[in-house]
C-alpha cells in the first residue's frame, strides 16, 4: 500500500459563539486523527451530534463561522498534488474541488438547483476540469451517465421531475464525472427507502471499484456500513473511539460504546429484547471530564473520569481509545 | 396541450371577473359621492350675481342632458357600460367637451415614463444591492447600505419629496421644482425639450427611488439570506463553482422570483399615478388629473382613470401568472 490519500492529524474544530458577552464553545471535533488509503471505503459511524458532519466539513474545508479549526491538519495526497486543506487559499481549493475531491450530500433532494436543468449542474461543476469544448464535454457526460445506467435524457430534466432515488443517482453521477481521487459521501442513502438504498449503494460500490477512488462514507446506519465499507471509524461525542476493519469491528468490538452499538443491532434468530444505553449523549459545550463516555460506561473506573484514553493499537490496524477495552472474542 | 388551455381560459375568466367587479365598485363609489358635477357647474356659472330659479332649473336640465346624467341610476349604469365596452369614456364634465380619453392620453405619457423609470431603477438597484448585501453579509459597506435603506424606508415619500424640493430648489437651486418641462417650450423631439423633461423628472424620480429602494433592498436581502442556506448553494460552493456564477445563477436567480411578481404588481399600479408626488412637483400626470377630477366631481374622468388602472393592474397580474412558468419550472408541472 502506498501513501495514504488522506491524513487527518490531531484535528480540533469547535463551534465558538459569543452572544451578549457569554462565550460558548462546542467541541464538535476533538483530537481526531485518521488516515484513509487509496482505493478504500472508510465508514464513519456514530449517533447524531457525535461530530461526524463537522468532521467531514472540516475535511472538505467548508468552514463557516461559528465553526473554527483550532488545531491539527487535513492533508490530501492526490494523484497529481498534495494539498493541506487549511493551509491553502480559496483558489487552490476551487482548483481541486470536483477534480480531485467531490462530495455526495445528504438530502440530495435539494442539492440541485430547482429552477435549472440538470445539464447546467454538470456544466457548472465539471466543465472547467474536463477541458473539452462544450459538445464533446456533453458527450463525455452522456457516456458517463450511460455507464451508470442512467438515461442521458435526465440532462434535460428539472430536478423536480425526477424521483428521490433518481436524483440521488444523478448526484452520484455528478460527483464522479471528473473521476476524483476522493469522494466525501455524507449520509447519501439516509432519505431513501431500503429498496432504492440498495441500488444507490450498489452504484457507489461499482463506480468506486471502477475509478479506484477513496470514499469516506458517513452514516449512522450500521447495516450500510456492514455492507459497504472496508474500514470503520466510530465517533462518540466529538472523538474517534474505535477504528478498524469493518469485519473485525462487527465481529469483536473493543470499545464499550461500539460494543453497545453492535449489540443493539437485530440479528436473525435472536429474540432477546434489546437494551438501550442509559443516559444521553453529552452536551459538547460542557463535555464530561476524562473519557467522554465514562458516565454511561459499564466498565468505567475512577481513572476514566480523570483522564481520556488515547487511541492505541490493540491489534494491527485496530485502534481503540479505552483503558479497559472489551476482551477479544474469537468468532 | 389541453391542460395549459384550461389554465389559460380559467385565468382569462378570472381576469374578466376582476375587471368587471372593479369597474362596478368604481361606478358605485363615484355616484355615491356628495359632489354633483351639475351643481358644481351651476355654482361656477352663478357665482357672480343672482340668477332666477327658473333659469337655474333650465340650466340644470340642459346640463344633465349634456353630461348624459338624465334618467335614474339603472339607466345611467346601462349607458355607462354600453359606452365603456367600446372604449368610450364620454366627455369630461369639468373640461367639457374634451373627451376623457384625450385628457387621459395627454397625462398618461408623463406618469408612465416617470414611474416606469423610477420603478425599474429602484427595483434593479434595490435587488442588486440587497442581493449583494445578503450574499456578502460581512461587508461593511453593504451593512451601512442596509442601515441607510432601513432608515429611509419608513419616511413617507412626500416628506422626502419636500426635503428634496427644499434642498435642490431653494437652498441650492440647481433643479426645476415644478412641472413636467419648461412652460415656454413646445413639445417636440428636440434635445432641448428632452433635456428639460429629464431635469424636471430628476427630483420626483429621486424622491420615489430613495423611499422605494429600501423595500426592495430589505426584501431581497432577506430572500437571499434564506437562499444561501439552501443545500444547492452549499453544494455548488463545495463543487468549487465560480463565486460569480453561484451568486448569479444560484442565489440571485432563485431569490428574484418573488421580486419579479412584486415588480409586475408595481408596474401595473403605475396607472394610478403617484398622486402625492405629482401634486408636490406639479407634474402633469394621471395623479394630478385624478385629484382635480375628484374635486370637480367629474364622474366620467374619475371612472375613466380608475377603469384604465383597474385594467392595467389586472393585465399585469395576468401577465405574471402566464409568464411565471417560464421563470419557475416547478409551476409548469402543475
Amino acid at each position: 500500500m502506498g501513501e495514504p490519500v488522506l491524513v487527518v492529524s490531531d484535528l480540533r474544530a469547535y463551534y465558538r459563539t459569543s452572544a451578549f458577552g457569554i462565550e460558548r464553545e462546542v467541541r464538535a471535533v476533538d483530537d481526531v486523527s485518521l488516515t484513509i488509503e487509496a482505493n478504500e471505503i472508510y465508514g464513519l459511524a456514530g449517533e447524531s451530534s457525535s461530530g461526524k458532519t463537522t468532521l467531514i466539513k472540516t475535511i472538505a474545508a467548508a468552514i463557516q463561522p461559528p465553526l473554527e479549526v483550532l488545531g491539527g491538519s487535513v492533508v490530501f495526497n492526490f494523484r497529481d498534488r498534495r494539498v493541506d486543506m487549511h493551509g491553502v487559499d480559496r483558489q487552490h481549493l476551487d482548483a481541486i474541488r470536483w477534480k480531485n475531491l467531490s462530495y455526495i450530500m445528504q438530502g440530495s433532494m435539494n442539492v440541485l438547483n430547482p429552477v435549472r436543468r440538470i445539464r447546467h449542474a454538470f456544466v457548472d461543476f465539471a466543465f472547467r476540469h474536463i477541458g473539452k469544448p462544450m459538445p464533446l464535454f456533453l458527450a463525455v457526460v452522456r457516456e458517463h451517465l450511460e455507464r451508470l445506467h442512467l438515461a442521458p435524457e435526465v440532462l434535460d430534466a428539472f430536478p423536480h421531475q425526477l424521483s428521490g432515488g433518481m436524483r440521488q443517482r444523478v448526484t452520484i453521477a455528478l460527483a464522479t464525472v471528473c473521476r476524483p481521487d476522493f469522494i466525501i459521501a455524507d449520509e447519501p442513502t439516509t432519505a431513501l427507502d431500503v429498496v432504492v438504498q440498495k441500488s444507490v449503494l450498489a452504484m457507489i460500490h461499482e463506480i468506486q471499484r471502477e475509478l479506484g477512488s477513496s470514499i469516506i462514507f458517513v452514516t449512522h446506519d450500521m447495516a450500510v456500513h456492514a455492507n459497504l465499507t472496508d474500514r470503520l471509524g466510530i465517533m462518540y461525542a466529538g472523538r474517534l473511539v474505535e477504528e478498524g476493519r469493518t469485519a473485525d469491528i462487527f465481529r469483536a468490538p473493543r470499545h464499550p460504546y461500539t460494543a453497545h452499538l453492535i449489540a443493539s443491532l437485530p440479528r436473525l434468530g435472536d429474540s432477546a429484547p434489546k437494551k438501550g444505553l442509559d443516559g444521553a449523549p453529552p452536551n459538547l459545550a460542557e463535555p464530561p471530564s476524562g473519557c467522554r463516555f465514562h458516565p454511561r460506561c459499564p466498565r468505567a473506573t475512577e481513572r476514566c473520569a480523570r483522564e481520556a484514553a488515547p487511541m492505541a493499537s490493540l491489534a494491527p490496524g485496530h485502534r481503540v481509545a479505552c483503558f479497559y477495552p472489551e476482551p477479544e472474542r474469537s468468532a | 396541450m389541453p391542460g395549459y388551455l384550461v389554465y389559460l381560459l380559467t385565468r382569462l375568466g378570472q381576469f374578466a371577473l376582476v375587471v368587471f367587479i372593479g369597474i362596478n365598485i368604481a361606478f358605485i363609489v363615484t355616484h355615491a359621492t356628495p359632489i354633483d358635477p351639475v351643481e358644481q357647474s351651476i355654482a361656477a356659472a352663478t357665482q357672480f350675481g343672482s340668477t332666477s330659479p327658473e333659469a337655474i332649473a333650465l340650466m340644470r336640465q340642459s346640463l344633465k342632458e349634456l353630461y348624459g346624467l338624465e334618467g335614474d341610476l339603472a339607466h345611467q349604469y346601462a349607458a355607462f357600460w354600453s359606452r365603456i365596452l367600446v372604449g368610450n369614456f364620454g366627455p369630461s364634465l369639468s373640461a367639457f367637451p374634451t373627451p376623457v380619453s384625450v385628457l387621459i392620453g395627454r397625462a398618461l405619457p408623463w406618469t408612465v415614463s416617470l414611474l416606469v423609470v423610477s420603478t425599474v431603477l429602484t427595483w434593479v438597484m434595490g435587488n442588486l444591492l440587497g442581493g449583494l448585501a445578503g450574499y456578502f453579509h460581512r461587508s461593511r459597506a453593504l451593512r451601512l447600505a442596509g442601515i441607510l435603506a432601513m432608515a429611509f424606508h419608513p419616511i413617507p415619500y412626500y416628506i422626502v419629496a419636500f426635503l428634496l424640493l427644499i434642498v435642490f430648489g431653494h437652498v441650492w437651486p440647481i433643479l426645476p421644482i415644478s412641472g413636467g418641462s419648461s412652460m415656454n417650450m413646445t413639445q417636440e423631439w428636440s434635445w432641448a425639450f428632452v433635456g428639460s423633461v429629464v431635469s424636471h423628472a430628476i427630483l420626483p424620480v429621486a424622491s420615489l427611488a430613495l423611499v422605494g429602494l429600501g423595500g426592495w433592498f430589505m426584501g431581497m436581502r432577506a430572500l437571499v439570506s434564506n437562499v444561501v442556506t439552501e443545500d444547492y448553494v452549499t453544494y455548488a460552493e463545495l463543487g468549487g463553482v465560480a463565486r460569480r456564477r453561484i451568486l448569479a445563477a444560484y442565489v440571485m436567480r432563485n431569490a428574484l422570483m418573488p421580486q419579479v411578481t412584486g415588480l409586475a404588481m408595481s408596474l401595473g399600479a403605475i396607472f394610478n399615478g403617484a398622486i402625492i408626488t405629482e401634486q408636490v412637483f406639479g407634474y402633469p400626470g394621471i395623479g394630478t388629473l385624478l385629484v382635480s377630477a375628484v374635486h370637480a366631481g367629474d364622474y366620467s374622468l374619475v371612472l375613466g382613470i380608475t377603469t384604465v388602472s383597474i385594467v392595467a393592474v389586472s393585465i399585469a397580474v395576468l401577465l405574471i401568472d402566464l409568464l411565471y412558468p417560464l421563470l419557475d419550472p416547478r409551476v409548469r408541472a402543475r
Side-chain angles (χ1 to χ4, degrees), chain A residues 2-178:
Chain A
E3 227 184 338
V5 180
L6 170 66
V7 180
V8 175
S9 346
D10 307 322
L11 193 63
R12 276 188 299 140
Y14 296 172
Y15 292 92
R16 287 176 128 177
T17 53
S18 153
F20 307 113
I22 300 165
E23 307 266 333
R24 223 173 102 92
E25 197 174 68
V26 175
R27 304 180 183 182
V29 171
D30 222 353
D31 279 320
V32 170
S33 299
L34 58 88
T35 58
I36 295 178
E37 306 293 334
N39 198 9
E40 86 168 336
I41 303 185
Y42 185 96
L44 200 59
E47 58 202 289
S48 303
S49 79
S50 60
K52 302 185 302 267
T53 299
T54 309
L55 175 59
I56 55 169
K57 263 188 203 164
T58 316
I59 289 175
I63 308 292
Q64 291 274 354
L67 181 61
E68 277 179 53
V69 176
L70 280 99
S73 66
V74 175
V75 178
F76 276 106
N77 294 300
F78 296 124
R79 250 165 271 170
D80 54 347
R81 71 189 98 183
R82 180 187 175 88
V83 181
D84 174 358
M85 292 298 278
H86 299 290
V88 296
D89 56 22
R90 199 191 147 86
Q91 268 153 337
H92 276 88
L93 289 175
D94 281 349
I96 60 150
R97 291 203 195 281
W98 238 249
K99 179 168 186 282
N100 301 112
L101 171 67
S102 75
Y103 211 100
I104 304 169
M105 224 160 106
Q106 177 173 18
S108 286
M109 314 312 193
N110 310 318
V111 303
L112 298 166
N113 189 340
V115 301
R116 302 176 82 221
R117 294 177 196 278
I118 306 286
R119 177 169 11 102
H120 297 297
F122 277 90
V123 172
D124 287 351
F125 282 72
F127 180 67
R128 67 209 158 98
H129 296 309
I130 303 268
K132 285 185 176 159
M134 190 57 79
L136 289 177
F137 167 76
L138 287 175
V140 169
V141 172
R142 281 201 191 89
E143 197 184 311
H144 181 68
L145 288 170
E146 273 170 2
R147 196 163 52 221
L148 292 171
H149 317 296
L150 283 164
E153 284 75 43
V154 296
L155 287 178
D156 291 319
F158 287 102
H160 70 267
Q161 293 169 330
L162 306 177
S163 67
M166 193 69 156
R167 261 188 300 235
Q168 189 59 281
R169 283 152 41 144
V170 166
T171 52
I172 292 169
L174 179 60
T176 51
V177 68
C178 294

Side-chain angles (χ1 to χ4, degrees), chain B residues 32-142:
Chain B
T33 49
I35 304 171
D36 183 339
V38 174
E39 298 305 326
Q40 292 282 92
S41 299
I42 291 172
T46 57
Q47 62 183 322
F48 308 108
S50 61
T51 316
S52 70
E54 294 81 29
I56 291 180
L58 211 61
M59 203 191 283
R60 183 173 291 137
Q61 186 52 41
S62 48
L63 276 173
K64 277 197 169 174
E65 266 169 41
L66 206 55
Y67 290 174
L69 294 177
E70 74 274 34
D72 56 1
L73 208 58
H75 183 83
Q76 286 184 35
Y77 180 74
F80 166 72
W81 269 107
S82 65
R83 276 190 288 117
I84 280 242
L85 286 177
V86 293
N88 175 14
F89 300 120
S92 160
L93 308 186
S94 55
F96 197 81
T98 322
V100 165
S101 47
V102 170
L103 289 178
I104 294 179
R106 221 180 270 157
L108 209 52
W110 291 105
T111 293
V112 168
S113 52
L114 179 76
L115 290 186
V116 164
V117 169
S118 65
T119 307
V120 171
L121 194 79
T122 313
W123 189 83
V124 170
M125 294 279 292
N127 282 309
L128 200 65
L129 287 175
L132 291 172
Y135 190 62
F136 301 106
H137 56 102
R138 263 177 268 284
S139 151
R140 283 181 181 224
L142 288 165

Side-chain angles (χ1 to χ4, degrees), chain A residues 246-320:
Chain A
T246 306
D248 291 344
I249 288 183
F250 272 89
R251 185 173 47 78
R254 305 299 298 276
H255 194 281
Y257 173 68
T258 321
H260 264 93
L261 209 58
I262 305 286
S264 70
L265 296 175
R267 262 163 232 264
L268 218 55
D270 174 8
S271 59
K274 302 290 175 195
K275 255 197 303 190
L277 203 52
D278 288 335
N283 174 5
L284 293 180
E286 291 164 54
S289 61
C291 172
R292 288 178 182 178
F293 187 58
H294 87 260
R296 301 170 75 187
C297 182
R299 303 172 72 86
T301 66
E302 209 182 310
R303 186 183 177 199
C304 300
R306 258 195 340 266
E307 49 183 314
M311 282 290 261
S313 287
L314 291 187
H318 198 151
R319 296 189 298 151
V320 177

